[in-house]
C-alpha cells in the first residue's frame, strides 16, 4: 500500500491549478414549486435515485477546525481557541500544528483509500466541510485537492465547494483558495442580527457578515456561492427573520441554505434534562403517595420560549420559501434554494443516493453500497487511518438489504422537489411496494401534502391519482412521480417519510 | 341500629333457606361408617401418609369444619400458619409463611383469592374422662375474604359449622369484618371471636370487645385474646373450636353427596376439586355425577389436604378433602355444585348459583400482533379461574380481543395481574362497565355488557334503564365523615346509615350504583381519608336510572372501545373530561383532529387538535444519513405501537389514561 510521507506539509509546492472558468449552469433543473414550475420544466431530469453505480464521483473532506464551538453544534469539530483568528490566514504566522497534523492524516487517508474502480471515473465534486474550513491555510487545502486529483482524478470542471465563516478570511485568502481550484463558497452567515449571533455562540458579528459578503461578491473567478441561514434561533422574531431574508436576497448569492435549528443533545442548547416522574399507579388498589416531580433543565426545549413555538417556526419556513421563491430561487430540496442551474451538485449526490468518498474526522462515506462513519475523536480517527494504511481495516460487511435500500431512496428523494420516480422505484423494489406506498399516501395527495405528477411532471388531481391506483396491474400509466409539496409537505417530511418506512419495513 | 337491622333482614331471608337445609340433615342418623374401604392402604406411610382406615376413626362427631374470617391484614394467614404448626401439619419454620396463600398475587396483596382446605389431626386433652385425649379431625377451610368472591365464600362457609372471626386488637372492627360476620351469620355458623395482635403497643382489646358487643351482639367473655406472632393465647383456640363448633351433620348411610368448594387445574393430574362430604362416603373407583351439569365421572383419586394432596382412597361423612375424577376443565367443576353417587337421584345441596358477572371489560393485546399469545394466556388462566366469562369481540380501534366478565373489581384486577405475572401478557383493557338493562318501547329488553354494542341511535324509544347497585359499608375516623359523604353523594350514593362504632369511628352505609365504584372509588376514598378508610360492599338490586350511551368520536368516527354508559346528569362532565384527556394524549397529526363526546347524534363536548405544524429535520449534513434514518425509523416504530381509528393514530397510553377518568369531579 502506498504510504505517503510528507515531512512538512507547508513545504508542498503550490501547484498551479488549472484555470477554472465560471461554471455553466447544469442542464439539470428541478421543479421548485408544485404550482409554478411543475409544468414549465422541459429539461431532462437528473438521474433519479436508485441503486448506487459502482464508482463515486464525489468526495467530502472534513476540516473540523473552529475558533470555538457554536451553542447548537454537535459536529465533530476541533476548537482552536481565540489564537486562530483572521490574522494567520495570510500565512504570516506559522500554521497551527494541529491543522498541519490533521491535514497530514487526511492525506494519508486519501492515499490509503483505494479507488472503487480502475475505470478512471474522475471526481465531479469535492466539498470541504467543517468545522470552519476557511481556517485552514489555502495551500493545505490545495494539498488535499492535489492528493484527491492524484488518487482519483478530477474532471475538467469539477464543483469544488468550501465552507467559510465570516471573520475567518480576507480577500487575499479567498483569492488564494480560488487560485488553487475552489469555485464554490458556502458562507456560514446564519443570521443578520448581532444579538442572535452572539446568543448562539457564533465567533463573528454582523459587521463581519457584511464584510464577508463583500469579499465573496467582489472575488473574481467566483460566481457560485451560497448563503447559509438558520431559522428558529432563540429569541428570533418574524421581523428578524424577514430582515435576514431581505439581506440575503440583496446579497444575491446563487444558492441559499436554510436550516431549521435542531436542538441536539450534548450541545449547549440541548443540555441534559433530569426528570423524575411521579410513580405509576397501575392498580386501582394502590394508594398513591404524594407525587414527586423534579425537573432540572438547563438547555432549550423545542417549541418552548425562548425558542419560537412550532407554529412560529413553521411560519419562518413558509416565509423563507415565499420570499426566496419570489426572488427567483428554486426550492429544490427541503433546506436548499438555488438560482436556476446553481443547485449544489455535491449535495445532489446525496439526495440521489449515489456513492461518494469521504475523508476526515467523523465523515461518512457511501462506497459499494456501504455507509461508513469514521471515528469522531481525533485519536481514534488517527488509529483508524493507521489501520487503513496497514490494510488491517475493512468495512464490516453489513450488506444493507433491499428494505434498507428502499428506505434510503424514499427518504432521500422525498427531500427533493424532483421527488420519487415511481417507475424506477417499482423496477428496483417491486410494483406492489410502490403501489402500497401510493395507497398510504392517498389521503395526503388529497390534502395536498403530497403531489402526484405524470411523466411530464404535471400535477395530477387526487382523483386521477386514485383512479390510477385502482388500475393495479398498470401502476404509473399516469402517475410517474410523487413529491412533497412546498412548503406544507416539506414541513412534515419526517412524518410522511416515516409513514413510508412503515410500508417498506412494517 | 338501622343498618344492622337492614342487614339482619336480608340475613334472615338467607338464614331461613340454610336452616331448612340443616334441619333436613340434622334429623338424620349420625352413625359413623366404620367399614374399611378395599382401596384404603392398611399402613401409615412413612411421613404424612394417611390411610383410609385411619380416616374411618373420625366419625362426624370427631370432625370440626371451620374457617377463619378477617379484614385484610388482621392476621388470618399467620393464625392459620400457627394452627397448622400446632397440629404438626406443617413444621415450624419450614415452608413459606402464609402457607395457604399459594398464588403470587395472594402473597403480594395479602388476600385470598382461591379457597384452600387443610386437614389437621388434633389430640384434645382436656376431656375429663379420657386422659389420653380424644383425637379430632379438624378441617380448616380458607376462604377468600373479598366481597367479589362472596358467593365462593358462602359456598365455603356452607361446608363449615363455625368460624374464627379474627379482629386486629388495635384496628378493631373494619368494613370487611362486618361483611364477613354477616356472611358467617347468614350461614348459621358458630362464631368464635379472636382478638389478635394483642402484643402491639396500641392494642386495645377491651375496646374491640365493646365493638363486637355493639355491632354483633357478641358476649365479651366469648372473645379469645391471641397473638399469632408471639404465640400468646393460641392454646385456647383449638379447644374452643372443638367445644363451641358443632360437628358436621350428615347421613353416613346415605348415598354419597358432597359440596364442591373450589377447583384447580393441575398440568399433570387434571382438575382437582376440593369437596366436603355431606352424606355417605366417597371411595376411589366410585362413579359420581354433577347435579349442575349431569355429567358422570369416575373417582380416580381421593384424599385429604394434609397439607398437600394426601391420597386416602376414601372420605367419610363430614370430612373435607379432594377428588380427582378426570374432569377436563375447571368449567366442569362449578363452585357450589353437588357431586353425588351416579345413577341415583339426590336432592342437590342448596345455594348453588352460576357465577354472576358484575364487571365487564374488553381485554386486548397491547401490541396488535400478540392476539394469539393473549388468547393462549387467557385460556390457560381461565383453566384455573372458571368464574371469568370470556367471549371474543372485535373493536375497530383495538382489533381482536375478548370481553371478559368478572365477579367484581378485585376479581378483575387480580385477573389482570395474574395475566401479566403468570403469563407475561401485556393488555389494554377498556373502561370497565357493569351489566345494564335497557328496555325499549317495543317491549324488548337488552342486557348491555359492552357499551359499544348498544345502538347509539336505536330507532326506538328507551322506556327505562336499570343499573346494578351495591350496599357499601365504610368505616372511617370521624373527622373524615364530611369528605366521605361528599364523595358518596358525587357518586350518586344514597345514605342508608350513619352511626358511630366507638368514640372515634363512624360507620357509613350507602347504596351506590356499582358503576360509580368500579373506577377509582377506593383510591379516592383512601386519598381523602389519608388511608384510614375501610370499605366493603355487597351486591344489591338493580335500580332504575337515567342512563345514556356516550360515544367518543375522532374526526366523526366513533371509537367503539371508548364508548361508555353514563348517568345523564353526569354525561356533560364525564364527556368533557374524556375529551380533554384524549386531547392531551393524542399527538398532533398531519391533519386536524376533532375529538367529540356525543349522545346519539348530539355532541356534548368537543375539542380540536390542530394539525401538526412541522416535523422536519433540516440537516442532512455531509451525506451522513444514518442518524437521520435512525430517527425516522424510531418514528416509524412509534407509529406501529399506535392504534388506529379511521386515519387517526391513538397512542396506547390514551386507553390506559381513560381508565383513570373518574366519575366524580
Amino acid at each position: 500500500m502506498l504510504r505517503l510521507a510528507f515531512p512538512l506539509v507547508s513545504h508542498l509546492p503550490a501547484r498551479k491549478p488549472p484555470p477554472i472558468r465560471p461554471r455553466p449552469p447544469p442542464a439539470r433543473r428541478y421543479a421548485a414549486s408544485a404550482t409554478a414550475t411543475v409544468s414549465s420544466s422541459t429539461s431532462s431530469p437528473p438521474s433519479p435515485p436508485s441503486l448506487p453505480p459502482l464508482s463515486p464521483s464525489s468526495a467530502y473532506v472534513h476540516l473540523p477546525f473552529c475558533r470555538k464551538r457554536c451553542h447548537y453544534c454537535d459536529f465533530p469539530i476541533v476548537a482552536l481557541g481565540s489564537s486562530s483568528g483572521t490574522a494567520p490566514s495570510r500565512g504570516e504566522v506559522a500554521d497551527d500544528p494541529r491543522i498541519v497534523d490533521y491535514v497530514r492524516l487526511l492525506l494519508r487517508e486519501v492515499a490509503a483509500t483505494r479507488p472503487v474502480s480502475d475505470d478512471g471515473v474522475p471526481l465531479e465534486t469535492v466539498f470541504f466541510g467543517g468545522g470552519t474550513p476557511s481556517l485552514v491555510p489555502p495551500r493545505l487545502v490545495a494539498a488535499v485537492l492535489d492528493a484527491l486529483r492524484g488518487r482519483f482524478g478530477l474532471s475538467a470542471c469539477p464543483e469544488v465547494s468550501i465552507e467559510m465563516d465570516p471573520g475567518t478570511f480576507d480577500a487575499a485568502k479567498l483569492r488564494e483558495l480560488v487560485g488553487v481550484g475552489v469555485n464554490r463558497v458556502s458562507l456560514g452567515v446564519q443570521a443578520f442580527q448581532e444579538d442572535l449571533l452572539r446568543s448562539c455562540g457564533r465567533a463573528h458579528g454582523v459587521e463581519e457578515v457584511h464584510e464577508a459578503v463583500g469579499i465573496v461578491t467582489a472575488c473574481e473567478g467566483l460566481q457560485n456561492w451560497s448563503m447559509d441561514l438558520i431559522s428558529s434561533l432563540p429569541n428570533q422574531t418574524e421581523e428578524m427573520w424577514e430582515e435576514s431574508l431581505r439581506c440575503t436576497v440583496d446579497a444575491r448569492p446563487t444558492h441559499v441554505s436554510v436550516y431549521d435549528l435542531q436542538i441536539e443533545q450534548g450541545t449547549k442548547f440541548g443540555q441534559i434534562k433530569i426528570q423524575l416522574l411521579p410513580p405509576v399507579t397501575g392498580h386501582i388498589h394502590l394508594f398513591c403517595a404524594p407525587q414527586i416531580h423534579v425537573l432540572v433543565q438547563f438547555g432549550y426545549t423545542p417549541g418552548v420560549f425562548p425558542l419560537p413555538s412550532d407554529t412560529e417556526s413553521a411560519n419562518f419556513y413558509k416565509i423563507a420559501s415565499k420570499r426566496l421563491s419570489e426572488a427567483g430561487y428554486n426550492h429544490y430540496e427541503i433546506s436548499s434554494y438555488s438560482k436556476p442551474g446553481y443547485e449544489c451538485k455535491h449535495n445532489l449526490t446525496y439526495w440521489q443516493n449515489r456513492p461518494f468518498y469521504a475523508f476526515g474526522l467523523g465523515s461518512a462515506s457511501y462506497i459499494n453500497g456501504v455507509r461508513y462513519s469514521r471515528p469522531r475523536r481525533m485519536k481514534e480517527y488517527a488509529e483508524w487511518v493507521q489501520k487503513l494504511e496497514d490494510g488491517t481495516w475493512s468495512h464490516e460487511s453489513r450488506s444493507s438489504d433491499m428494505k434498507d435500500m428502499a428506505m434510503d431512496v424514499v427518504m432521500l428523494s422525498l427531500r427533493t422537489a424532483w421527488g420519487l420516480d415511481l417507475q424506477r422505484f417499482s423496477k428496483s423494489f417491486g410494483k406492489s411496494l410502490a403501489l402500497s406506498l401510493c395507497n398510504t399516501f392517498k389521503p395526503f395527495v388529497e390534502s395536498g401534502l403530497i403531489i402526484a405528477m405524470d411523466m411530464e411532471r404535471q400535477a395530477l388531481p387526487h382523483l386521477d391519482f386514485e383512479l390510477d391506483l385502482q388500475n393495479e396491474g398498470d401502476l404509473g400509466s399516469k402517475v410517474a412521480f410523487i413529491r412533497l409539496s412546498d412548503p406544507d409537505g416539506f414541513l412534515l417530511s419526517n412524518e410522511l417519510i416515516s409513514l413510508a418506512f412503515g410500508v417498506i419495513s412494517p | 341500629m338501622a343498618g344492622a337491622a337492614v342487614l339482619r333482614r336480608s340475613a334472615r331471608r338467607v338464614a331461613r333457606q340454610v336452616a331448612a337445609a340443616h334441619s333436613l340433615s340434622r334429623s338424620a342418623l349420625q352413625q359413623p361408617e366404620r367399614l374399611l374401604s378395599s382401596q384404603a392402604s392398611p399402613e401409615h406411610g412413612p411421613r404424612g401418609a394417611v390411610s383410609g382406615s385411619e380416616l374411618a376413626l373420625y366419625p362426624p362427631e370427631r370432625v370440626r369444619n371451620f374457617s377463619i374470617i378477617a379484614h385484610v391484614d388482621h392476621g388470618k394467614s399467620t393464625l392459620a400458619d400457627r394452627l397448622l404448626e400446632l397440629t404438626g401439619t406443617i413444621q415450624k419454620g419450614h415452608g413459606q409463611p402464609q402457607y395457604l396463600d399459594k398464588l403470587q398475587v395472594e402473597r403480594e396483596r395479602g388476600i385470598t383469592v382461591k379457597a384452600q382446605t387443610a386437614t389437621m389431626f388434633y389430640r384434645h386433652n382436656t376431656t375429663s374422662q379420657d386422659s389420653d385425649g380424644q383425637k379430632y379431625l379438624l378441617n380448616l377451610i380458607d376462604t377468600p375474604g373479598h366481597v367479589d368472591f362472596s358467593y365462593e365464600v358462602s359456598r365455603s362457609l356452607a361446608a363449615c359449622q363455625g368460624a374464627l372471626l379474627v379482629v386486629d386488637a388495635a384496628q378493631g372492627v373494619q368494613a370487611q369484618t362486618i361483611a364477613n360476620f354477616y356472611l358467617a351469620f347468614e350461614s348459621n355458623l358458630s362464631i368464635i371471636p379472636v382478638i389478635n395482635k394483642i402484643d402491639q403497643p396500641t392494642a386495645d382489646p377491651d375496646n374491640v370487645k365493646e365493638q363486637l358487643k355493639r355491632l354483633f351482639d357478641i358476649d365479651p367473655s366469648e372473645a379469645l385474646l391471641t397473638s399469632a406472632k408471639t404465640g400468646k393465647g393460641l392454646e385456647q383456640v383449638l379447644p374452643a373450636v372443638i367445644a363451641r363448633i358443632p360437628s358436621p351433620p350428615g347421613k353416613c348411610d346415605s348415598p354419597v353427596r358432597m359440596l364442591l368448594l373450589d377447583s384447580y387445574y393441575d398440568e399433570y393430574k387434571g382438575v382437582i376439586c376440593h369437596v366436603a362430604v355431606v352424606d355417605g362416603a366417597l371411595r376411589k373407583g366410585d362413579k359420581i355425577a354433577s347435579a349442575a351439569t349431569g355429567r358422570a365421572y369416575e373417582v380416580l383419586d381421593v384424599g385429604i389436604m394434609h397439607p398437600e394432596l394426601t391420597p386416602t382412597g376414601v372420605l367419610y361423612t363430614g370430612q373435607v378433602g379432594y377428588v380427582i375424577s378426570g374432569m377436563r376443565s375447571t368449567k366442569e367443576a362449578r363452585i357450589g355444585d353437588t357431586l353425588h353417587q351416579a345413577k341415583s337421584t339426590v336432592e342437590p345441596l342448596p345455594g348453588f348459583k352460576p357465577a354472576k358477572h358484575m364487571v365487564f371489560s374488553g381485554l386486548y393485546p397491547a401490541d396488535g400482533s400478540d392476539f394469539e399469545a393473549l388468547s393462549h394466556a387467557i385460556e390457560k388462566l381461565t383453566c384455573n379461574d372458571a368464574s371469568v366469562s370470556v367471549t371474543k369481540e372485535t373493536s375497530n380501534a383495538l382489533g381482536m380481543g375478548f370481553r371478559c366478565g368478572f365477579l367484581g373489581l378485585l376479581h378483575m384486577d387480580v385477573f389482570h395481574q395474574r395475566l401479566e405475572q403468570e403469563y407475561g401478557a401485556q393488555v389494554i383493557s377498556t373502561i370497565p362497565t357493569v351489566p345494564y338493562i335497557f328496555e325499549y318501547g317495543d317491549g324488548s329488553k337488552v342486557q348491555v355488557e359492552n357499551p359499544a354494542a348498544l345502538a347509539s341511535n336505536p330507532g326506538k324509544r328507551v322506556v327505562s334503564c336499570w343499573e346494578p347497585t351495591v350496599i357499601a359499608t365504610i368505616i372511617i375516623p370521624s373527622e373524615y365523615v364530611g369528605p366521605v359523604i361528599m364523595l358518596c353523594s358525587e357518586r350518586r350514593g344514597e345514605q342508608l346509615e350513619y352511626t358511630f362504632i366507638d368514640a372515634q369511628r363512624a360507620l357509613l352505609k350507602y347504596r351506590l350504583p356499582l358503576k360509580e365504584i368500579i373506577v377509582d372509588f377506593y383510591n379516592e376514598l383512601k386519598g381523602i381519608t389519608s388511608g384510614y378508610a375501610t370499605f366493603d360492599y355487597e351486591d344489591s338490586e338493580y335500580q332504575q336510572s337515567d342512563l345514556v350511551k356516550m360515544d367518543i368520536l375522532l374526526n366523526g368516527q366513533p371509537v367503539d372501545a371508548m364508548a361508555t354508559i353514563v348517568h345523564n346528569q353526569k354525561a356533560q362532565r364525564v364527556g368533557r373530561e374524556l375529551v380533554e384527556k384524549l386531547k392531551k394524549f393524542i399527538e398532533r397529526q398531519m391533519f386536524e383532529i376533532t375529538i367529540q363526546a356525543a349522545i346519539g347524534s348530539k355532541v356534548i363536548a368537543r375539542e380540536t387538535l390542530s394539525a401538526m405544524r412541522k416535523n422536519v429535520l433540516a440537516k442532512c449534513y455531509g451525506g451522513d444519513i444514518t442518524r437521520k434514518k435512525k430517527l425516522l425509523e424510531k418514528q416509524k416504530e412509534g407509529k406501529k405501537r399506535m392504534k388506529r381509528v379511521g386515519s387517526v393514530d391513538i397512542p396506547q397510553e390514551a386507553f390506559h389514561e381513560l381508565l383513570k377518568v373518574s366519575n366524580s369531579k
Side-chain angles (χ1 to χ4, degrees), chain A residues 229-359:
Chain A
L229 297 176
I230 299 182
S231 65
S232 302
L233 288 168
N235 297 305
Q236 193 173 33
T237 63
E238 189 176 324
E239 290 70 38
M240 293 179 192
W241 184 234
E242 288 274 16
E243 181 186 30
S244 288
L245 289 167
R246 231 177 7 252
C247 294
T248 302
V249 169
D250 288 348
R252 305 168 65 89
T254 49
H255 189 281
V256 182
S257 291
V258 179
Y259 296 121
D260 185 69
L261 181 72
Q262 310 280 314
I263 301 298
E264 305 284 356
Q265 269 188 1
T267 66
K268 232 175 206 158
F269 278 179
Q271 292 288 354
I272 302 155
K273 280 175 260 179
I274 299 166
Q275 210 167 357
L276 289 184
L277 292 170
V280 179
T281 54
H283 296 284
I284 38 181
H285 289 266
L286 287 179
F287 172 59
C288 194
Q291 300 192 335
I292 309 157
H293 191 132
V294 178
L295 186 80
V296 184
Q297 195 178 351
F298 304 106
Y300 295 138
T301 306
V304 176
F305 186 81
L307 292 182
S309 70
D310 268 9
T311 309
E312 288 172 299
S313 102
N315 196 35
F316 289 175
Y317 188 90
K318 292 179 186 171
I319 292 171
S321 176
K322 187 157 189 285
R323 294 285 172 257
L324 293 171
S325 298
E326 284 165 359
Y329 293 90
N330 291 335
H331 194 176
Y332 72 99
E333 189 267 341
I334 283 177
S335 49
S336 313
Y337 298 80
S338 78
K339 286 283 168 74
Y342 283 93
E343 295 86 1
C344 177
K345 273 171 74 181
H346 182 83
N347 284 344
L348 287 178
T349 309
Y350 304 151
W351 316 139
Q352 292 166 2
N353 201 31
R354 287 188 282 130
F356 52 90
Y357 295 109
F359 305 98

Side-chain angles (χ1 to χ4, degrees), chain A residues 60 74 130 163 260 262 283-286 311 313 335 350 371 404 407-408 415 491 494-495 498 505, chain B residues 109 413 523 527 590 612-618 621-623 625 627-629 632-633 635-636 639:
Chain A
Y60 174 80
D74 73 334
E163 291 183 333
D260 185 69
Q262 310 280 314
H283 296 284
I284 38 181
H285 289 266
L286 287 179
T311 309
S313 102
S335 49
Y350 304 151
R371 295 185 188 276
D404 271 322
M407 288 197 277
D408 285 358
R415 289 188 64 94
L491 264 171
N494 280 1
E495 280 294 307
S498 55
S505 172
Chain B
R109 297 183 172 208
D413 216 21
N523 265 347
M590 288 185 280
M612 179 190 289
R613 302 291 176 204
K614 65 161 204 175
N615 189 345
V616 53
L617 280 174
Y621 188 84
I625 67 164
R627 270 174 79 197
K628 186 177 163 63
K629 192 171 165 192
L632 292 171
E633 275 175 350
Q635 206 165 324
K636 176 202 86 179
K639 284 190 201 301

Side-chain angles (χ1 to χ4, degrees), chain B residues 335-354:
Chain B
I335 294 173
D337 190 9
T338 302
L339 297 178
H340 59 88
Q341 191 182 61
K343 288 179 192 160
S344 69
T345 39
V346 297
E347 173 123 352
L349 294 160
F352 173 74
K353 281 186 265 175

Side-chain angles (χ1 to χ4, degrees), chain A residues 446-464:
Chain A
E446 184 174 2
S447 69
L449 292 180
I450 289 179
I451 295 166
M453 293 173 286
D454 62 13
M455 283 307 286
E456 274 72 51
R457 302 194 58 78
Q458 293 276 5
L460 289 168
H462 80 91
L463 284 175
D464 287 7

